[in-house]
Amino acid sequence: MLGEPFTLSTWAFMLLKKIVVPEKKVYLWSHGWYGRENFTKKWIKRAFFGLADGNFLYGNYARKVAIEQGNNPDKLWVIHNSLNYSKHIELRRLIKPSAIYKEYFGDDNPVLIFIGRLTKIKKLNQIFEAVAFLKKQGSNYNVVLVGDGEERSMLEIEAIKLKIPVWFYGSCYDEIKNAELIYNADLCVSPGNVGLTAIHAMTFGTPVITHSNFSNQMPEFEAIIPNKTGNFFTENSIENLVESISKWFSDKNYSRERIRQYCYKEIDNFWTPKYQLDIIKKHLS
């Protein structure tokens, strides 16, 4: 069942199960813990998840927080998350470098991409501010936003105001095109919580930068291995975001192909339906 502690029907189901059919088992699958729970929420969650026979969690961070809050580690299992891996792998085998960005922007400047809904919680204006700051320092970057949302109009105005090159690609549900856009970008930047954007980007070999306040993150941040599959910056610090982007490209030993392989390895090993199925079989057998 979905592990939503504020869904009363789930409480009722688990309590009735213990009374009527105690031999049956109930397993919950959820984010679980974020690390920002107040005293009341800690105890509600402890009672709720304690009723289950086991809990599948999206990340190791949630498990760590749960254990610190007194929950039974033997009932907490990390299952991660995944996208349409089999389809993505087919596309990955077919992808080749293209001139899509050179043709659009007319230069060879590094490309920063974000793919997902253009919402306030993603704090995409921070990308613009960072790129404008870098431009003043003499470093030029192109920005590509793949997606749509309520923040688009505001972001379009901001891009004009800051005089930075931004391609508002819009919504795209064609995974062949998404694969090309991601593969040919240099770095995915998600200043707010990153979520499945990280998995999507790394599946096609593009590293990810997002913020380091894990209590305000989604579990997919755990796919980021510093200096290999991406990096972190201090939440809401434009200065540190600028530093993180600049540092990523200034490494003398930087190899786009090596980074691509790091991303592939992380996804292939831990963020697939097969990995999830293996975890389920291990604990439900």
Side-chain angles (χ1 to χ4, degrees), residues 82-91 175 203-204 273:
S82 65
L83 290 169
N84 190 352
Y85 180 75
S86 58
K87 176 64 175 178
H88 287 171
I89 285 299
E90 289 179 17
L91 294 176
E175 278 299 276
T203 295
F204 297 115

Side-chain angles (χ1 to χ4, degrees), residues 224-244:
I224 299 173
I225 304 170
N227 303 315
K228 287 189 174 182
T229 64
N231 249 328
F232 298 100
F233 74 98
T234 304
E235 186 180 27
N236 298 322
S237 171
I238 303 300
E239 182 180 355
N240 195 233
L241 177 56
V242 166
E243 183 181 342
S244 296

Side-chain angles (χ1 to χ4, degrees), residues 124-142:
L124 299 172
N125 61 297
Q126 292 185 10
I127 302 176
F128 291 8
E129 292 178 47
V131 168
F133 194 94
L134 285 161
K135 184 178 179 181
K136 290 179 181 178
Q137 293 181 334
S139 298
N140 296 303
Y141 294 84
N142 297 320

Side-chain angles (χ1 to χ4, degrees), residues 101-114 124 127-136 138-146 155-169:
Y101 294 128
K102 184 175 179 62
E103 290 173 359
Y104 184 85
F105 292 107
D107 57 48
D108 293 312
N109 293 332
V111 175
L112 309 181
I113 192 171
F114 172 84
L124 299 172
I127 302 176
F128 291 8
E129 292 178 47
V131 168
F133 194 94
L134 285 161
K135 184 178 179 181
K136 290 179 181 178
S139 298
N140 296 303
Y141 294 84
N142 297 320
V143 179
V144 179
L145 300 184
V146 183
L155 290 168
E156 288 176 334
I157 294 170
E158 190 74 5
I160 294 171
K161 178 182 174 183
L162 294 172
K163 298 179 181 179
I164 57 173
V166 181
W167 185 2
F168 288 90
Y169 192 88

